[in-house]
Amino acid sequence: MPDGLWWLPSLLVLGVAAIALVGGVAGFRRLGARREQAALEAGRDDEVRAKSRIVQADSAVRDALGEVLFVEAQFDAATAASMRESVDAAQRRLREAFLLQQRLDDAEPDTAAQRRAWAGRIIELCDSALATLRTADAALDARRQAERGATSDAPVLGGRRRALSARGAAAAEALDRLGLRFAPSALGRARAALHRAEAALAAAADRLETARGRLDRGQGAAEETAAAAGLLDRAARTLDEAERVESDLEVAADDALTQAADLASELDAARTERDATDDPESRAALARAVDAAAEARGASPERASDPFAARDRLRVARDRLEVARAAARASQSRLDGARGALAGAIAIAESQLRVAGDAIRRGGTRVGADARTRLAEAERQLVIARQEPDPVAALDAARRSASRASDAEALAAYDLMTGR
């Protein structure tokens, strides 16, 4: 090949490479287009399902809008407002679904991923709107069922109120009879319960009257009948409390007799402990508790006009007596322990005094004033321990004596070691 054509082979290679590149790019484009078309076809089912959901949701919202008008006429503005809130929420979701559907229907080309995401969002929004409307319909159905029940419940509740009123009158008569035997304080709780029952019955009567008026006008009365039922339940509970007072008085009287018998035996034991207690303060406190308990025991529970008060008074007296006895026992135990330990503590103090005295004598003038002062204080505390009538105070003095004597010995040894 002539030298002037040396570049021809390279040109051929470049041309072949360019043709191959162009063919590859075109092939990849065709492959991508086929894949995109396949993805679009795969998403057609979701788009069809999204359109179906929009139709369902739009029909449900339109039906619900008409239902709101009936609800307001049948019940009240509050119930209609609750229904309208649910419809408004469903409408907001439906509007967003319509906007996304417009994107799917416009002439602008969209990717398969975009269309799949929009279709999924439309289905989600429509399902949420339908669920909101179903919940509102269920609540409305329950309200209508309650209203149907209110029509039949109102007469039944009226009969129950009359029966409870008769019970209240009988309970009032029973309290008046008991008032001849017992003090007003014994019947105060029962009379208060009866007053609460009467107030609940009066409020229930007002509610039932309102319910009857609403039913006569063709309006809902479930709320009124439900409130009346609750008031009648409260009246029944408080009437039970008022009617139990006679049996409660008998139980309290029996309990007071038992408390009095137990207190009598505890008083004997407390007097014995009082006489055996060495601590003056504990003896005085126990004596006061014994006197108070004896006074409480002296009021005969058999003739108590208020068994509740008699029972509580005896319980308080027993509790206070037990506290005083426990304090006296603790004090006596402390005194007995101190007596048992006193002899040993004095012996230890005496021994420590001898050791400290010997150390000071051996040191002579080299032992300073500090050690001698501690020794003198130890001797003084030992005298107190031997003369103190209170075992606890005597034990404390003996222990202080041993401690001061030990300090004196240590100070004497220090003076000898330092040569002071």
Side-chain angles (χ1 to χ4, degrees), residues 133-393:
L133 294 177
R134 282 195 294 269
T135 301
D137 287 341
L140 192 58
D141 290 341
R143 177 66 185 272
R144 285 172 174 154
Q145 182 65 32
E147 294 298 341
R148 287 192 291 270
T151 305
S152 58
D153 287 346
V156 175
L157 292 174
R160 187 184 179 198
R161 185 196 65 79
R162 289 188 293 273
L164 290 173
S165 297
R167 280 181 58 189
E173 293 178 0
L175 289 177
D176 290 339
R177 289 194 302 270
L178 292 173
L180 301 176
R181 297 167 46 201
F182 298 100
S185 59
L187 304 176
R189 186 180 303 174
R191 291 194 183 279
L194 183 59
H195 291 328
R196 293 197 303 272
E198 291 172 349
L201 288 172
D206 293 339
R207 289 282 191 168
L208 289 174
E209 184 63 28
T210 303
R212 280 192 291 269
R214 294 182 66 85
L215 290 173
D216 293 341
R217 295 190 298 271
Q219 297 175 334
E223 183 178 352
E224 301 297 333
T225 54
L231 289 167
L232 292 177
D233 289 340
R234 185 188 308 170
R237 289 193 299 272
T238 51
L239 280 175
D240 290 340
E241 182 180 351
E243 292 168 343
R244 283 198 310 268
V245 65
E246 188 167 5
S247 60
D248 290 344
L249 285 169
E250 293 177 358
V251 171
D254 293 339
D255 194 9
L257 290 174
T258 302
Q259 294 281 343
D262 294 341
L263 183 58
S265 61
E266 291 182 12
L267 274 171
D268 294 338
R271 291 187 180 99
T272 302
E273 292 176 356
R274 177 197 60 191
D275 298 337
T277 299
D278 296 332
D279 183 17
E281 293 184 4
S282 298
R283 186 186 303 112
L286 187 53
R288 289 192 297 270
V290 166
D291 293 340
E295 182 180 356
R297 175 67 181 83
S300 176
E302 294 88 346
R303 297 188 300 274
S305 60
D306 187 346
F308 299 128
R311 178 195 59 192
D312 295 342
R313 183 174 61 251
L314 290 168
R315 284 179 177 173
V316 170
R318 285 189 64 189
D319 292 341
R320 290 178 177 173
L321 184 62
E322 181 56 35
V323 170
R325 291 179 64 191
R329 287 193 295 268
S331 177
Q332 188 63 38
S333 176
R334 187 173 65 254
L335 291 174
D336 293 341
R339 287 193 185 96
L342 181 58
I346 289 176
I348 293 172
E350 291 173 343
S351 175
Q352 192 63 46
L353 275 168
R354 286 194 296 270
V355 171
D358 291 342
I360 291 174
R361 282 191 295 273
R362 285 196 304 271
T365 57
R366 289 179 296 173
V367 177
D370 292 341
R372 299 175 187 276
T373 301
R374 294 292 196 285
L375 182 62
E377 177 62 18
E379 292 172 345
R380 189 179 73 85
Q381 291 295 332
L382 182 58
V383 172
I384 293 173
R386 288 169 174 163
Q387 296 178 352
E388 175 62 50
D390 183 0
V392 176

Side-chain angles (χ1 to χ4, degrees), residues 27-50:
F28 277 118
R29 286 182 176 177
R30 287 194 297 272
L31 179 60
R34 286 196 297 270
R35 288 179 176 175
E36 183 70 12
Q37 187 63 33
L40 289 173
E41 293 297 331
R44 297 299 181 192
D45 292 340
D46 288 342
E47 294 180 20
V48 172
R49 191 160 59 253

